[in-house]
Amino acid sequence: MDPKKKTVGFAPDNDASSDIPSPGSSNNSSAATSPVSAFSNTPDLDHNSNSNSRSVGSSSSSTAPKSIKSSGARSSYEPMKSSYEEQWGLADRVSQKAHKMASPREGGQFPKEGGKKEGKQGGKTSGLGIQASGSVTSGGSDGPHSAGPNSAGSQSGAAAAGQKGGAQKPPTAPSQKSMTKAERRELQEKQKAEKAARLASGLPASGKKAAQVLAQPNSGFSPNPSKSLATSFPGAEAEKAMAGGGESTNQTKRREKLTKEIGLFAHLDPPKFANTASAPKDLHPAVVNVGLQMAQFKICGANARCVATMSAFRKAIQDYQTPPNTTLSRHMQTYLNPHISYLVTCRPMAVSMGNAIRYLKYEIGKNLDLPDEDARALFLEKIDNFIRDRITMADQVITSLGLQKIQDGDVILTYARSSVVQGLLLAAHAKGIKFKVIVVDSRPRFEGKQLLRALATAGVPCTYVLLTAIGHVMREVNKVILGAHSLLSNGALYSRAGTAVVAMSAHERKIPVIVCCETYKFSDRVQLDSFVQNEIGNPDELVNDANNNFGHSSTRWQESVRGGLSSTTNGATGAAGVLSGWKESRDLKLLNLLYDLTPSEFVTVVITEVGLIPCTSVPVILREFLPMMQQ
Amino acid sequence: MTFEIVAHYKKLLLDSPELSMPVAAIESLVELIRHSKATTMSEFMLSIKDASQQLKSSVRNSISLSAGCDLFVRFVTRNSQDVADFETWKGTLISRGQRFVEKADACRYKIAELGLPFIKDGSVVLIHAHSRVVSLLLQRAAENHKRFKVFVTESSQTQGGIRSAKVLRAAGIPTTIILDAAVGYVIDKVDMVLVGAEGVVENGGLINQIGSYQMAIVAKAANKPFYAVAESYKFVRLFPLNQYDLPTYNADTLSFQELNIDYDSKSNDAALADSPTSLKKASSTASPSTATSQTALHMKTSEDQASQGSNPLVDYTPPNYITLLFTDLGVLTPSGVSDELIKLYL
């Protein structure tokens, strides 16, 4: 069956039949919930005591339980729902949002003006200017971010004329596409079964209507809202269906993860997991490979990722066969685009990669009229030159410039691991400069250990501390050398989370902060805080239990520590236990941000291949230097 | 070598005291080209680089001198790309170099014009030591009938303040010489601080006669504007991270000389000490009175050295203490300097 068709067929199937006016009392033991919760349509709802308790909790803290505007609201369900489903099909992210919106008000039935107000705000946010009756966006409580365009749009769409929501259908359901046939069949069957069950219990055929029926009479606390939720929404059904069968635990987990989104960061991409299934078929294997490695953080670091990407593209261009009726340079862009978007699905693009790809596209666009083989040779050469000039040579120049700033007797502090910094420190050691290095590291990635290993192997005197000890070690430091993910136009440094703390505490003690960064990592973006743009890593990395080895090489050490502790106290294991159940705990969310932003005043100097510059000169370099490089 | 560049440079400075070091350096290098007998490009370039190295090492404080040398070397290398005829190219370099030297004087007048509006009627200006361009700016202000008073620090090392005071009094500006240590005392009476520069570094910071940094700190603490006045040929491609990251810094600067003292005071200690072993530890175990006498002795013996080698001549003022820089390129913020430098050297 065509998955797309199915999605579309889905909505009418459930809804069309149900034109029942505001529902009477519920005769269903599974208690009731408000249309709000039906509306909020958490996809995750195959419910169990766990989510039940969650809604209980949220009802107490509920910001805006929604009053019911029955018929109007109901008529608006259909478009809303269909668009919703599509969104759900589209991306996990959307459903996360939807879910998040749902959770605070699942249990609450108290009519409240405040809720209405919020709904209004939400509607405004969406730009449609419609009060979302019976629906509350989380916009009011969580800020406009969290009511991302999708959710806000769908809600106000719901309140508005049905056609509007319907007309706004986003493209359908890659995720359904990615379902296996068996899964799809299961889903269908599940829905059928549910419908039958509902009919049997005297409820409307539509899950939604049923939910409403269930909801209406019960204005108090619902003992088991999640249960009704489960049946209340097609999305939920789909979810439930998918959860059925062998996949059940898997899906449950996934669903639960969806609820773990944090309001302030709802606009960011959720953590991504390596998945080739969604990749288009005709990708070059080298690119697929690189994408997977990046998704698993096997290739990590701005330079490494950029070089890997460019090398993969080089292979792709090398193996590229020009299709009939076009030329290589004209078709190349179209050919590369799916590769690029595939890489983005694997992990949000690094600034370095973005710049490199932009450069490549610029070169392709500039040479449209070259004969095929010449163009291929040219592009390959351009890629090689880019890697050589902007990365390899740049690093060498940075190293030689950086050496001027390292003197005998220095105590240099560095954070995590940067390939350039590592190169610089090793070069300084090779040059015979006598200095000491303090490697500051932090959970969860412990990237500093890699640097520590390299330095210790080379014989550089090192100290290794975690970020928490920064205040203690800063006293003896006289230089801080950091790497960069990117430098922004306002001079801010965008780098591994934790860098800002290091730079700030160095600045506080007037210790010079040296940043090593190639100019190709300069970005024309401006960012004032770490929230606007960031990357969310897998929150499981923060969970420190014995079964996960996210600490990489550190795991053994952790275990030994834990072992030592547990002989006396159970503290360490106990602590791990708290987090290991985080997905089940309704009030616990984990946030694993990968980057942070260091304001420009904390950075003394940036060492680039064009010299030592203050970080406020980034725009000057972008203006004066980049045109030169692109020639 | 037939042409002695260092001698020529020193003669230039002696002949015209108004000449600043970078300009004199460039003039000397132009003179070198005139005398150059190099036949190949690389030999020529080598001789220029060699000469500028000689110049830099000939003086103790080479900051502003090296700014001039670097600028000229940069100018030569930039123009070495398309050389059709070696001799005519040399001719071009010489004439261009000379024109630069002639124009260098005009720089100061331009700066004086730009800085004029900043000196308000009835204001009190604090300046440091002696700087030609600062003096010129103040003179121009006086000529423009601005009524203002000047505090100038004595700057004991070079007595530059006394020189400044002479010049300014001659221009009819009420001037008071204050102790270097009195900057904090007068700062509340002052409306702005004005200093010259030996060199302006890449981040917009300032290298200037010792004492500028503490003036900047005091000015910042008192929320008074701190303006630097510098010709653009003093922009230098350096990026000091702190005071001790300057090319003028060496192992002798601010070194402690206790070891010498210990030898001198040995006889003293020997009289008090019974055994040779205690003699070795004399400095640590000596009675308080001995220690005091030792310190006094230390002060005495190191006094001469302090005034000569071990005290620094210049310090570095980080850009965050500087309000604005008056240059012939315009009135710039510190980050604007790096903008100009990047344009110049990239």
Side-chain angles (χ1 to χ4, degrees), chain A residues 103-115:
Chain A
S103 45
R105 38 198 77 89
E106 254 165 41
Q109 259 90 27
F110 328 105
K112 239 188 214 170
E113 295 77 23

Side-chain angles (χ1 to χ4, degrees), chain B residues 256-322:
Chain B
F256 296 96
Q257 282 148 9
E258 271 125 331
L259 286 177
N260 306 338
I261 309 307
D262 274 354
Y263 285 117
D264 294 342
S265 55
K266 236 174 219 172
S267 52
N268 240 353
D269 292 333
L272 296 166
D274 296 332
S275 68
T277 40
S278 68
L279 180 101
K280 270 186 188 164
K281 294 180 206 156
S283 53
S284 56
T285 56
S287 67
S289 63
T290 326
T292 333
S293 72
Q294 246 182 331
T295 324
L297 194 65
H298 176 181
M299 302 280 276
K300 222 177 198 174
T301 46
S302 62
E303 202 172 28
D304 310 326
Q305 288 154 326
S307 61
Q308 283 152 25
S310 70
N311 257 301
L313 288 173
V314 292
D315 61 15
Y316 158 66
T317 309
N320 50 323
Y321 291 104
I322 299 167

Side-chain angles (χ1 to χ4, degrees), chain A residues 194-512:
Chain A
E194 259 161 34
K195 194 169 162 189
R198 269 198 305 275
L199 288 171
S201 64
L203 284 165
S206 148
K208 216 171 244 179
K209 304 291 173 190
Q212 238 181 348
V213 170
L214 294 176
Q216 281 301 357
N218 196 340
S219 62
F221 160 65
S222 83
N224 191 0
S226 57
K227 180 84 195 289
S228 61
L229 267 178
T231 53
S232 72
F233 201 76
E237 288 174 7
E239 179 61 48
K240 193 172 176 183
M242 277 156 57
E247 292 243 325
S248 152
T249 48
N250 206 355
Q251 287 292 333
T252 313
K253 260 191 201 148
R254 175 148 161 255
R255 180 179 31 78
E256 283 301 327
K257 190 158 10 178
L258 299 184
T259 71
K260 294 301 185 180
E261 190 177 335
I262 292 169
L264 193 53
F265 299 94
H267 61 292
L268 300 177
D269 283 343
K272 291 170 174 170
F273 303 95
N275 176 20
T276 35
S278 62
K281 296 286 173 285
D282 50 353
L283 292 184
H284 191 278
V287 179
V288 174
N289 198 15
V290 165
L292 282 177
Q293 285 178 305
M294 282 198 279
Q296 294 163 355
F297 286 80
K298 297 225 165 89
I299 296 180
C300 193
N303 278 345
R305 287 173 71 194
C306 182
V307 172
T309 309
M310 290 308 264
S311 310
F313 281 170
R314 192 185 192 283
K315 283 189 197 120
I317 294 177
Q318 221 161 15
D319 299 345
Y320 169 82
Q321 302 287 331
T322 315
N325 302 326
T326 180
T327 67
L328 182 137
S329 34
R330 281 181 193 282
H331 186 248
M332 186 51 75
Q333 196 128 341
T334 9
Y335 173 68
L336 287 181
N337 280 340
H339 289 87
I340 295 165
S341 45
Y342 164 73
L343 288 180
V344 175
T345 61
C346 290
R347 201 188 149 185
M349 189 102 80
V351 174
S352 57
M353 288 162 64
N355 284 343
I357 289 171
R358 210 167 302 132
Y359 169 76
L360 182 60
K361 282 185 167 177
Y362 165 82
E363 287 298 340
I364 292 171
K366 216 172 63 175
N367 297 291
L368 286 181
D369 297 326
L370 276 184
D372 274 19
E373 281 318 302
D374 291 1
R376 192 198 306 269
L378 178 77
F379 299 153
L380 295 183
E381 191 200 328
K382 290 286 180 190
I383 292 178
D384 289 342
N385 288 352
F386 184 90
I387 296 177
R388 188 195 64 202
D389 296 345
R390 306 299 300 272
I391 306 176
T392 321
M393 290 307 290
D395 282 355
Q396 285 175 18
V397 177
I398 289 172
T399 303
S400 66
L401 289 172
L403 283 178
Q404 301 167 5
K405 294 294 173 200
I406 301 181
Q407 276 97 33
D408 274 346
D410 275 354
V411 179
I412 293 165
L413 182 141
T414 184
Y415 178 67
R417 176 184 176 267
S418 148
S419 52
V420 201
V421 173
Q422 180 175 324
L424 172 59
L425 294 176
L426 290 176
H429 180 71
K431 199 184 159 198
I433 303 173
K434 290 189 173 47
F435 62 101
K436 200 182 131 184
V437 178
I438 297 177
V439 180
V440 179
D441 209 353
S442 76
R443 295 193 64 220
R445 305 209 69 85
F446 296 108
E447 289 163 311
K449 294 194 173 183
Q450 222 179 321
L451 171 68
L452 186 71
R453 198 172 296 124
L455 293 177
T457 313
V460 184
C462 294
T463 306
Y464 180 85
V465 295
L466 290 188
L467 192 55
T468 41
I470 188 92
H472 178 70
V473 294
M474 206 43 108
R475 214 173 302 168
E476 56 173 315
V477 172
N478 67 351
K479 257 156 225 171
V480 174
I481 302 184
L482 300 170
H485 178 88
S486 171
L487 270 179
L488 311 185
S489 264
N490 56 348
L493 165 68
Y494 186 69
S495 194
R496 179 64 71 229
T499 307
V501 176
V502 173
M504 183 175 65
S505 78
H507 176 81
E508 186 68 21
R509 290 165 180 78
K510 301 269 184 234
I511 297 164

Side-chain angles (χ1 to χ4, degrees), chain A residues 404-405 407 479 510 512 514 604-605 610-614 616-617 620-621 623-625 628, chain B residues 202-204 213 237-242 244-245 316 320-321 335 338-340 342-343 346:
Chain A
Q404 301 167 5
K405 294 294 173 200
Q407 276 97 33
K479 257 156 225 171
K510 301 269 184 234
I514 301 167
T604 314
V605 59
V610 298
L612 282 76
I613 58 166
T616 45
S617 289
V620 185
I621 298 286
R623 190 175 69 224
E624 303 282 326
F625 188 63
M628 232 158 77
Chain B
E202 198 139 11
N203 56 0
Y213 178 40
R237 267 216 115 181
L238 275 177
F239 204 128
L241 298 174
N242 51 33
Y244 320 113
D245 195 24
Y316 158 66
N320 50 323
Y321 291 104
S335 58
S338 94
D339 197 332
E340 295 296 334
I342 288 168
K343 275 192 223 157
L346 223 62

